[in-house]
Amino acid sequence: MRQSRRTHLWAATRPSWLRDGGMVLVILMAGVFGLYAIGEGDFGLFSADRATSQFFSSQAPLSNTAIFSHMWLGGVVTILVPLQAIGWLRSKLPALHRALGYLIAALAFATAMGGLAYIVLRGTQGGWPMSLAFAAYGLLMLAAAVQTLRHARAGWVTHRDWALRLVVLILGSWLYRVHYGLWYMATGGLASNEAFTGAFDLINLVAFYLPYLIALELWLRVRPSARPEPSAPA
């Protein structure tokens, strides 16, 4: 009987530990990119040598602020967002989970606004296809951030679905680079070039966020709904 109870307890807790362990791994990997982005943003905003950055223009101070703020804020939110998916933090420290959620949504909103402002003011390296795809990405992040906050403040359980969408979108910037790293390791850069006009470059303009959002939406629709356990008969 004891062995049966231990087996049942392990089966019940294993998915949570696997999920939390997976998110810790994501934190470590995405954190490296987040620190890099913070460093790039800090360099562009405050370094005396910022003119050496490819994103800096001496004739466009507003777009400079937009893109480097976007990098800095994006790095911070990339580091923070996986924490929200850790079940232990959500159940044991709900107040911290809520406060962190509001902070992440606000940072995501500001990050998206900075990126969109840069696209409007200066465009992107990859021309109109990249500008269009990244603008769509930024608008989706804005919508997810607003909806997450709105549903959370209203106390609706659906805020969790919007929060998951926001997590996917925030991690998209990191996944964009992951895709490139894996592709170059596998093919040596086939169908990719410095102008971002190769077949892989064009596909990756939406592949870093759209398939993940679609997969999430499918999961949200087929996941088993939480139902209260039936009470024991009196």
Side-chain angles (χ1 to χ4, degrees), residues 66-205:
I67 189 59
F68 291 119
S69 297
H70 167 80
M71 291 177 179
W72 198 93
L73 295 169
V76 173
V77 79
T78 299
I79 293 172
L80 292 178
V81 74
L83 296 174
Q84 288 299 84
I86 295 180
W88 180 88
L89 180 66
R90 185 168 59 249
S91 61
K92 301 297 184 182
L93 300 171
L96 177 60
H97 172 77
R98 286 193 296 271
L100 193 58
Y102 283 117
L103 175 61
I104 287 171
L107 289 173
F109 185 92
T111 300
M113 287 297 294
L116 288 169
Y118 180 80
I119 291 172
V120 171
L121 292 170
R122 204 188 303 179
T124 59
Q125 291 175 288
W128 71 264
M130 180 179 281
S131 295
L132 182 62
F134 281 11
Y137 169 63
L139 289 172
L140 286 172
M141 187 180 293
L142 279 180
V146 170
Q147 288 292 82
T148 299
L149 284 174
R150 189 171 74 87
H151 286 233
R153 287 179 61 84
W156 298 336
V157 70
T158 48
H159 89 272
R160 295 178 182 175
D161 294 350
W162 281 106
L164 286 173
R165 295 179 182 112
L166 186 58
V167 168
V168 169
L169 288 165
I170 289 173
L171 291 178
S173 185
W174 166 63
L175 289 170
Y176 180 80
R177 277 78 179 177
V178 170
H179 285 187
Y180 268 105
L182 294 175
W183 182 255
Y184 270 74
M185 285 175 59
T187 71
L190 180 68
S192 177
N193 56 56
E194 293 184 359
F196 297 98
T197 57
F200 175 79
D201 300 313
L202 297 176
I203 291 171
N204 200 40
L205 289 176

